[in-house]
Amino acid sequence: MMLQKTLRNLTIFAIAAYAIAADAQTYRLPNAHKAEHNDLIARQENIGNQISVKDTQDFLDNLFKDEEEPELDIYTEGWNSRSVNAYAGMEVPDTKSIDVSKFAMPCPGYVTSPYGYRPRFRREHKGIDLKLQTGDTVYAAFDGRVRLTNFERRGYGNYVILRHTNGLETVYGHLSKFLVKEDQDVKAGEPIALGGNTGRSFGAHLHFETRFMGMPINPAAIFDFANQTVHTDTYTFDKQTYKKARNYDPAANTEYAKQYRATHPARVTASTSGTSSKKASTYTVRKGDTLSRIASRNGVTVRQLCKLNGLTTKSKINPGKKLRLR
């Protein structure tokens, strides 16, 4: 009886063992899967060796590098040119919006000669002439940098060209003295020169130009000289209209001229010989004198000098000759 019970238990154990073995065979991974699994485990690396903050940042920087808008360097194009127009041959956009809100008047003078064609000289006057006395201060119209200080005997005389952060260039001609140097940064309203009568000039004044990519804009399209301000905070350059003035009123300029003369009396500079003054009736010609220089010094016109003395604009005047002024 005891033996039968033992055999029965052994039989049950054997059957169970066989079932477990059979079940293990049923869920065993195929050899191919086992090999792939082992290969993946063998190639596993520490994730710390694959990812770092620096590498991630470098990746992002490179990803967006080409999409960033590069900062425009306005002091490159034609910067080393010795010409007034440093943009010759370059393509100029049809329109361009220019911020002129941060401005200063180049000088407080009124307009003595407007922009445009001059029949007398058969050429374009590419700027505006503003009244001043020799030695009066000339100011930077906008923030920027000095591109050129130069002298041109038959034209601008002593002149300064500034390139501005708003994309414009301004030209200041017939100066008596420079107060700035090339490559010097300036602010709007900062003194840059003293006014004068150098170059091709018939009396002390400031020749003032405003240019966009070398194209001479009518300064009266930007500035309201009679009211000593700008027309609007933004000027829109247009190839079709840049030569036209905005709200230019000769009557307003005439009225402003009266006010200016009342508050800016002309200085009288006596000559060493005592013959040249504002009220003198005659003048003794000195070496190097020209009709235009004599006229500007004595508050008369070349035409008046010629008429009073029986001369023409081409007449030769010798040192020692006395000329009537009144």
Side-chain angles (χ1 to χ4, degrees):
M1 192 70 178
M2 189 69 176
L3 181 59
Q4 289 178 348
K5 185 176 180 180
T6 299
L7 289 172
R8 187 177 62 186
N9 290 340
L10 287 173
T11 302
I12 294 171
F13 178 77
I15 293 171
Y18 178 79
I20 292 173
D23 187 62
Q25 287 180 351
T26 303
Y27 292 98
R28 185 178 300 166
L29 289 171
N31 289 335
H33 288 187
K34 288 175 65 178
E36 184 179 354
H37 180 69
N38 292 335
D39 184 54
L40 287 171
I41 293 175
R43 290 189 301 170
Q44 212 172 31
E45 293 182 7
N46 186 340
I47 194 170
N49 296 332
Q50 300 179 38
I51 301 175
S52 69
V53 173
K54 182 179 183 305
D55 290 341
T56 303
Q57 187 62 53
D58 289 344
F59 171 76
L60 291 174
D61 289 343
N62 289 327
L63 182 64
F64 297 106
K65 185 175 181 179
D66 293 337
E67 296 182 11
E68 294 177 353
E69 186 70 24
E71 184 177 354
L72 178 64
D73 186 355
I74 64 168
Y75 305 119
T76 54
E77 296 290 348
W79 183 255
N80 295 320
S81 172
R82 304 301 294 179
S83 299
V84 174
N85 181 3
Y87 297 91
M90 298 184 187
E91 185 176 353
V92 180
D94 290 333
T95 61
K96 174 69 175 179
S97 180
I98 300 170
D99 183 359
V100 295
S101 59
K102 297 179 180 178
F103 75 96
M105 301 303 294
C107 76
Y110 56 90
V111 177
T112 59
S113 183
Y115 174 101
Y117 183 72
R118 286 178 163 179
R120 179 183 176 186
F121 300 106
R122 297 180 181 179
R123 61 182 175 85
E124 288 285 337
H125 187 220
K126 297 179 180 179
I128 271 182
D129 291 345
L130 301 171
K131 181 60 181 176
L132 52 61
Q133 300 296 323
T134 297
D136 284 352
T137 305
V138 176
Y139 305 94
F142 307 101
D143 293 351
R145 184 177 297 173
V146 181
R147 179 169 72 81
L148 184 62
T149 59
N150 204 2
F151 175 75
E152 185 180 279
R153 184 170 66 87
R154 296 185 177 180
Y156 294 101
N158 292 318
Y159 67 98
V160 172
I161 298 179
L162 305 182
R163 183 171 295 183
H164 302 289
T165 53
N166 60 9
L168 291 176
E169 282 197 338
T170 49
V171 183
Y172 311 77
H174 308 308
L175 309 171
S176 61
K177 184 179 180 179
F178 301 129
L179 301 180
V180 290
K181 297 180 180 180
E182 292 178 8
D183 294 318
Q184 179 178 331
D185 291 325
V186 295
K187 293 291 185 182
E190 183 176 342
I192 59 169
L194 300 181
N197 187 29
T198 58
R200 185 178 176 84
S201 173
F202 299 99
H205 69 280
L206 174 67
H207 174 81
F208 177 63
E209 295 182 9
T210 50
R211 290 176 175 253
F212 173 65
M213 294 193 68
M215 301 188 73
I217 299 167
N218 188 337
I222 299 174
F223 291 92
D224 179 354
F225 292 99
N227 292 294
Q228 295 289 285
T229 187
V230 289
H231 293 293
T232 52
D233 287 344
T234 301
Y235 166 72
T236 301
F237 169 82
D238 189 311
K239 281 184 178 179
Q240 304 301 318
T241 61
Y242 73 93
K243 293 184 177 182
K244 297 179 180 179
R246 279 198 293 178
N247 304 325
Y248 180 69
D249 185 354
N253 184 65
T254 300
E255 182 61 32
Y256 177 68
K258 292 180 182 178
Q259 298 173 13
Y260 177 88
R261 285 192 290 266
T263 56
H264 296 76
R267 293 191 298 273
V268 178
T269 304
S271 68
T272 54
S273 65
T275 59
S276 176
S277 70
K278 188 178 180 182
K279 295 182 180 181
S281 60
T282 62
Y283 176 83
T284 302
V285 178
R286 292 177 291 175
K287 185 178 180 180
D289 275 341
T290 62
L291 288 174
S292 62
R293 185 175 298 177
I294 295 170
S296 65
R297 285 178 177 175
N298 293 278
V300 296
T301 66
V302 172
R303 184 178 180 181
Q304 287 175 315
L305 280 179
C306 291
K307 185 176 181 180
L308 288 169
N309 296 279
L311 303 173
T312 69
T313 55
K314 296 182 180 180
S315 295
K316 184 177 180 180
I317 51 173
N318 297 317
K321 181 179 177 62
K322 282 192 175 183
L323 298 178
R324 291 178 57 193
L325 301 176
R326 310 284 180 240

